Amino acid sequence: MQTLRRKDILGLEEMSAEEITLILETARSMREIMQRKIKKVPTLRGRTVLNLFYEPSTRTKASFELAQKYMSADSVSVAGTSSSLVKGETLKDTVRNVEVMGIECVIMRHPVSGSAYYLARNVEASVINAGDGMHEHPTQGLLDMFTILDKKGRLEELKVTIVGDIRHSRVARSNIWGLQKMGAEVVVSGPPTLMPPDLEAFGIKYCPCLEDAVDGADVVMALRLQKERQEGGLFPTLREYAEIYGLTSQSIAKAKDDLLIMHPGPINRGVEISSELADSNRSVVLEQVTGGVAIRMALLYLLMGGVKEE
Ligand code: CP
């Protein structure tokens, strides 16, 4: 029997390669359920989940809600802007109040880094981090690895180039931690002003020239410019950013022919990536989204559904 021996999913920095492998393998079984005509299993019947989103989301929120429906869980969704947060209620009080209604698992997106850890320490329910500030977005990192594994058949020894606003990106952090644990080589590129001050601590290579960063790459992942988290003046204009760091056919010319092009979404077309590339047959942007449902089903199953029979 294999289980995920943890109460919460907070980040990939703290997760082992064995745990990541178990989640990716479980997601493969979950995708098989998604491909059925009747996409419903009774696994989480009678189990209760709260979706608590204090920041906007399309992909993460919709895929968690769909995963809950496919698994027959009972769920409620609360948006920060329409919750009693606006009347001054704290995060801890909010979740303790819904916990006494019987909630067993909280999916939370929050603008403050570390908020998921804080919540997990203060409630008995399982907490799944759906993005905490500039810290981590572990389910995105997992779905990105799931997509790469699906297309390439392995993660070890692949060169994955992540381009753009590394400094403010929780997606970048989760991918950097996760991909390295799984044996991939991670290279980052983007303006020096958009690199984290503690870049060296990640043990990855920084290559300021995009063309060189993608030389020989198996995967290139463009990140959204996190304008809502940036202070001003980090790069001159969007036009100049796009000219130097936007993914185009020319800028990725040195990558491998079977390059995978990824973006977590939402995409700023013509800024981080050209429409031509985003819609090309090398782009797996929509496969990432589909994989997101399978990953979130797997996490709910592994945290709430008990054990997986071997
Ligand atoms: N990739 C991602 O987190 O997208 P959403 O913000 O739409 O959830």
Side-chain angles (χ1 to χ4, degrees):
M1 289 195 303
Q2 287 180 294
T3 66
L4 207 49
R5 294 184 191 283
R6 55 174 65 240
K7 168 179 157 293
D8 312 293
I9 304 292
L10 302 176
L12 299 192
E13 183 179 8
E14 62 173 31
M15 205 173 266
S16 67
E18 290 70 31
E19 287 177 297
I20 293 172
T21 301
L22 172 61
I23 296 165
L24 298 179
E25 281 174 1
T26 308
R28 264 213 304 268
S29 320
M30 296 299 157
R31 188 171 53 189
E32 186 271 316
I33 295 169
M34 290 170 65
Q35 288 163 347
R36 293 180 194 166
K37 198 167 172 203
I38 308 292
K39 303 171 179 53
K40 195 122 184 136
V41 290
T43 315
L44 297 184
R45 197 163 50 197
R47 312 300 299 275
T48 46
V49 182
L50 170 70
N51 300 299
L52 188 56
F53 278 68
Y54 290 101
E55 278 190 337
S57 169
T58 297
R59 282 147 287 271
T60 311
K61 186 164 182 287
S63 59
F64 264 118
E65 289 185 3
L66 266 181
Q68 290 149 20
K69 288 181 197 305
Y70 292 166
M71 310 283 287
S72 303
D74 291 318
S75 65
V76 283
S77 295
V78 174
T81 47
S82 61
S83 74
S84 288
L85 169 88
V86 294
K87 301 179 206 163
E89 188 172 47
T90 65
L91 175 59
K92 189 160 121 184
D93 281 340
T94 300
V95 175
R96 279 196 169 159
N97 275 268
V98 292
E99 211 174 19
V100 294
M101 297 181 208
I103 291 292
E104 296 164 89
C105 179
V106 181
I107 318 294
M108 187 176 75
R109 171 167 289 188
H110 198 283
V112 175
S113 301
S115 50
Y117 284 80
Y118 168 79
L119 186 63
R121 275 199 306 273
N122 284 285
V123 297
E124 280 177 29
S126 289
V127 175
I128 302 182
N129 182 4
D132 63 328
M134 304 193 298
H135 177 231
E136 281 226 40
H137 192 349
T139 63
Q140 180 73 43
L142 288 164
L143 76 87
D144 290 337
M145 287 190 278
F146 183 69
T147 307
I148 298 170
L149 188 59
D150 194 41
K151 295 288 174 187
K152 297 282 184 195
R154 66 189 166 96
L155 293 166
E156 320 82 80
E157 292 174 19
L158 292 181
K159 176 176 174 179
V160 181
T161 302
I162 306 179
V163 183
D165 185 1
I166 311 293
R167 180 170 171 177
H168 301 96
S169 175
R170 53 198 179 203
V171 174
R173 279 181 184 72
S174 288
N175 266 296
I176 290 168
W177 293 124
L179 283 163
Q180 288 196 112
K181 277 176 210 256
M182 300 306 284
E185 176 198 359
V186 180
V187 174
V188 293
S189 186
T193 47
L194 293 182
M195 293 300 125
D198 58 342
L199 187 62
E200 278 179 19
F202 291 99
I204 52 174
K205 187 173 165 198
Y206 169 50
C207 193
C209 170
L210 176 59
E211 286 75 8
D212 292 343
V214 301
D215 193 356
D218 299 282
V219 178
V220 62
M221 186 183 296
L223 298 175
R224 183 175 70 83
L225 284 171
Q226 305 270 306
K227 281 180 261 165
E228 71 277 24
R229 301 186 216 286
Q230 293 172 1
E231 62 272 32
L234 292 175
F235 53 90
T237 61
L238 285 180
R239 189 176 57 79
E240 282 162 286
Y241 176 88
E243 271 173 19
I244 301 171
Y245 288 109
L247 299 189
T248 61
S249 314
Q250 294 77 31
S251 66
I252 61 160
K254 290 192 200 166
K256 288 188 177 158
D257 289 341
D258 61 351
L259 175 76
L260 293 185
I261 297 168
M262 304 180 78
H263 192 301
I267 294 175
N268 292 305
R269 285 173 181 261
V271 178
E272 298 123 16
I273 183 169
S274 67
S275 275
E276 182 206 351
L277 280 193
D279 300 329
S280 71
N281 57 12
R282 292 199 281 179
S283 165
V284 290
V285 170
L286 294 178
E287 280 96 329
Q288 289 173 259
V289 179
T290 311
V293 182
I295 284 290
R296 285 152 185 149
M297 288 171 77
L299 290 172
L300 289 169
Y301 171 74
L302 290 167
L303 283 186
M304 302 181 73
V307 297
K308 185 181 172 202
E309 299 291 338
E310 279 187 325

